[in-house]
Amino acid sequence: MLMAGAMTAGAVLLGSPAEAVAGSAKTGPGVIPLPDGFRPEGITIGGGPYAYLGSLGDGSIYRADLRTGEGRIVSTGPGTPSVGLKLDGRGRLFVAGRGEGARVVDARTGEILASYRLTTATPTFANDVFLTPRTAWFTDSFQPALYALPLGRGGALPDTDDVVRITLSGDWSQVPGEVVNANGITRTPDGKALLVVQSGVGGLHRVDPRTGVTKLVDLGDAAPLTNGDGLLLIGRTLYVVQNRQNAIDVFTLAADGTSGVFQKRVTDPDFDVPTTVAEYNGTLYLPNARFTTTPTPDTMYAVVAVKR
């Protein structure tokens, strides 16, 4: 059953993220081409030098070798979008599927292991996902809610009716209609709460994972995070992708995530509306979604690599 309200105590301790960023890689290309017409949005990198990207077109999953720039489709899409995605330590991709909820894909075989309808509310837009050892968290850009898939012993996937809905409250003020609200998601440095960027109004929220109560993160005199999209936390450093601004804003956060200090803005001439970011061996990788370009089967797409 779809559950509303607070979560059971102890059910979703945050801890360290399940997605490891480890190992070493040779220096790779600065721009990694993707298949024409692919329409990337999300990116995830595990312990090896391989990035996985989802297609906003048919939902296919592409694996790119960060050392050579070569790649291939590892999972043919179901015909519906793949938006944010994360790879866990068991070789499973957790994929946000926009209006179709979420699914879990075997990164080796491409098999869909499970599919989840996250909500019956409309409109809905499952946008991004973040993994902890015990929970897969999904944002909904059109609803004031987060969705949690509780993971069992050994990472066992939950039943399809075990989705938990957490209603966002506190400082959260939902913009109604089909406006992008909740977007990128990660955790606070101390692992006790979640961080969610609200794109349309440019706010970063600290979210209590048990109650959904949010508090705006104090970022001092930094400009609003308008068009804030993917989030990446490394230690106490938060990278916020601002897609249509072709930039990454970098902050140092307090351990509890209640405040942050702006450090720098990262840009690159090859950026063309990057949406999300993943890191490997000191390099950031961002897919160009090219939202200002009308997509066609021949439209070229790429991943851009920049140093941290």
Side-chain angles (χ1 to χ4, degrees), residues 128-155:
D128 204 1
V129 56
F130 177 72
L131 300 179
T132 75
R134 299 176 65 177
T135 310
W137 289 94
F138 293 84
T139 58
D140 189 334
S141 292
F142 293 164
Q143 296 290 326
L146 300 179
Y147 309 111
L149 298 182
L151 304 177
R153 181 173 298 180

Side-chain angles (χ1 to χ4, degrees), residues 12 93 96 122 221 225 236:
V12 288
L93 290 161
T122 56
D221 296 330
L225 299 176
R236 288 175 54 183

Side-chain angles (χ1 to χ4, degrees), residues 1 68 79 155-156 179 224 237 245 272 277 283 285 305:
M1 174 184 349
T68 66
V179 176
T237 301
Q245 297 181 29
D272 192 351
V277 58
T283 298
Y285 294 89

Side-chain angles (χ1 to χ4, degrees), residues 44-64:
T44 184
I45 301 172
Y50 300 98
Y52 294 84
L53 300 105
S55 168
L56 287 176
D58 67 358
S60 291
I61 306 296
Y62 184 84
R63 188 180 85 158

Side-chain angles (χ1 to χ4, degrees), residues 171 198 203-206 214-218 258:
D171 286 347
Q198 189 177 11
L204 181 67
H205 289 257
R206 183 185 187 275
T214 81
K215 184 173 180 57
L216 276 170
V217 178
D218 181 2
T258 57

